[in-house]
Amino acid sequence: MTTQTEATNQSTISKDTRIALFIPCYIDMMFPEVGIATLQLLERFGLNVSYPLNQTCCGQPMANSGDEANAAPAELLFVENFKEFDFIIGPAGSCVKQVRCHFDVIDQTDDVKHVRQRTYELVEFLHDILNVDSFPWAEFHHSVAIHNSCSSIRGLGIAKPSEIMGVPFDKTADLLSKVKGLVLTPVDRPDDCCGFGGTFCVTDEAVSARMGLEKAHDHLRHGVEYVVSPDMSCLMHQQGIAQRSGLDLKYIHVAQVLNGGPF
């Protein structure tokens, strides 16, 4: 396995640094390959990664529905599981956004503040903390469109929103551009919502499905083979719509591409 020693000009983190892997519940249940890819990728950089076995849901589904009372126990359990770590890394922008931006109802103890401040989405951790400049083990000879979720863009700031003026940037694109053979394919409306929105796809099913279908046709129109995202929840929604509509598109998490699998 190629390791950190073959990647250059990146920040190093001491082996004494305590790194926790936060795997959202839907990834644990439905997309375990994403969790495996994330762990393997972090370990390639020589990080000492732990997986707290008692972790559960971060409380996002309840909080997004306004049920803060039932979200609070899940949020407190999250803090209890991760309070001893220096960094908490999760491969899901919306769940990380829940921890960092929406743990507001529970008491803001020192442990809560620490966990909120030290929880990172995978792309931003690789880009902003490790400053990774190469993935020598990864090859992906396909045309790829990026889907950065609304939470990742507007909550975590991993790319510039199109509605705001300023210098364009996209941290996901920066990382994927370092993968051999991968062709980044621009689309017409890269940061439009795909219609998932958690409970929105249940409460407003018809609108949600139409938004996802328009997203898929945007990708097809530009000859995209794979849609790659830091958020598997959005991809789950888009993949379901594409399969039901008979559209030839494939969907995978950015961790799988950067790690070179598993696919």
Side-chain angles (χ1 to χ4, degrees):
M1 176 183 291
T2 306
T3 63
Q4 182 187 21
T5 56
E6 297 181 47
T8 58
N9 297 328
Q10 64 192 38
S11 300
T12 57
I13 291 181
S14 165
K15 283 188 174 296
D16 295 330
T17 302
R18 298 161 298 178
I19 307 286
L21 181 61
F22 161 39
I23 296 298
C25 40
Y26 75 95
I27 289 179
D28 186 30
M29 289 186 289
M30 303 178 66
F31 305 103
E33 66 276 12
V34 174
I36 293 169
T38 303
L39 175 61
Q40 290 180 342
L41 181 58
L42 292 173
E43 290 182 339
R44 285 182 186 276
F45 295 103
L47 302 178
N48 182 15
V49 183
S50 298
Y51 179 83
L53 292 175
N54 292 329
Q55 63 181 284
T56 62
C57 174
C58 63
Q60 184 186 184
M62 294 82 82
N64 282 357
S65 301
D67 187 3
E68 294 288 359
N70 281 313
E75 295 168 357
L76 291 170
L77 180 59
F78 187 96
V79 172
E80 183 64 25
N81 281 322
F82 290 100
K83 65 183 182 182
E84 302 297 334
F85 292 93
D86 299 307
F87 291 98
I88 302 129
I89 315 301
S94 65
C95 296
V96 168
K97 175 173 170 281
Q98 158 70 6
V99 174
R100 194 188 298 168
C101 303
H102 299 306
F103 273 19
D104 294 324
V105 174
I106 56 178
D107 289 341
Q108 299 301 295
T109 63
D110 289 343
D111 288 340
V112 171
K113 292 176 183 176
H114 171 79
V115 167
R116 293 182 72 170
Q117 292 168 354
R118 306 303 287 181
T119 300
Y120 287 83
E121 183 275 326
L122 177 66
V123 166
E124 62 179 355
F125 181 74
L126 296 173
H127 189 278
D128 298 344
I129 304 300
L130 287 187
N131 298 311
V132 175
D133 71 349
S134 65
F135 299 90
W137 48 78
E139 292 188 21
F140 199 73
H141 297 273
H142 300 282
S143 61
V144 165
I146 295 172
H147 175 76
N148 287 318
S149 69
C150 303
S151 294
S152 294
I153 296 174
R154 296 170 181 89
L156 303 179
I158 70 168
K160 187 188 82 63
S162 57
E163 69 272 16
I164 295 177
M165 298 186 66
V167 178
F169 67 92
D170 186 331
K171 298 174 186 177
T172 308
D174 285 349
L175 296 180
L176 288 175
S177 68
K178 306 177 193 312
V179 175
K180 182 179 180 181
L182 189 148
V183 178
L184 287 173
T185 304
V187 296
D188 294 333
R189 299 165 69 175
D191 64 352
D192 273 10
C193 176
C194 68
F196 174 58
T199 53
F200 173 75
C201 70
V202 177
T203 59
D204 296 81
E205 177 185 353
V207 177
S208 169
R210 181 56 185 259
M211 292 170 71
L213 188 60
E214 290 194 2
K215 196 83 178 177
H217 281 299
D218 192 5
H219 294 144
L220 281 177
R221 196 161 50 243
H222 293 85
V224 169
E225 296 175 85
Y226 282 83
V227 181
V228 176
S229 175
D231 269 88
M232 208 63 212
S233 55
C234 295
L235 295 187
M236 176 175 61
H237 172 68
Q238 295 177 48
Q239 184 176 35
I241 290 171
Q243 288 180 345
R244 180 167 291 193
S245 304
L247 304 179
D248 185 19
L249 286 166
K250 305 177 187 67
Y251 299 83
I252 55 174
H253 193 275
V254 66
Q256 296 169 269
V257 178
L258 298 179
N259 185 55
F263 297 112

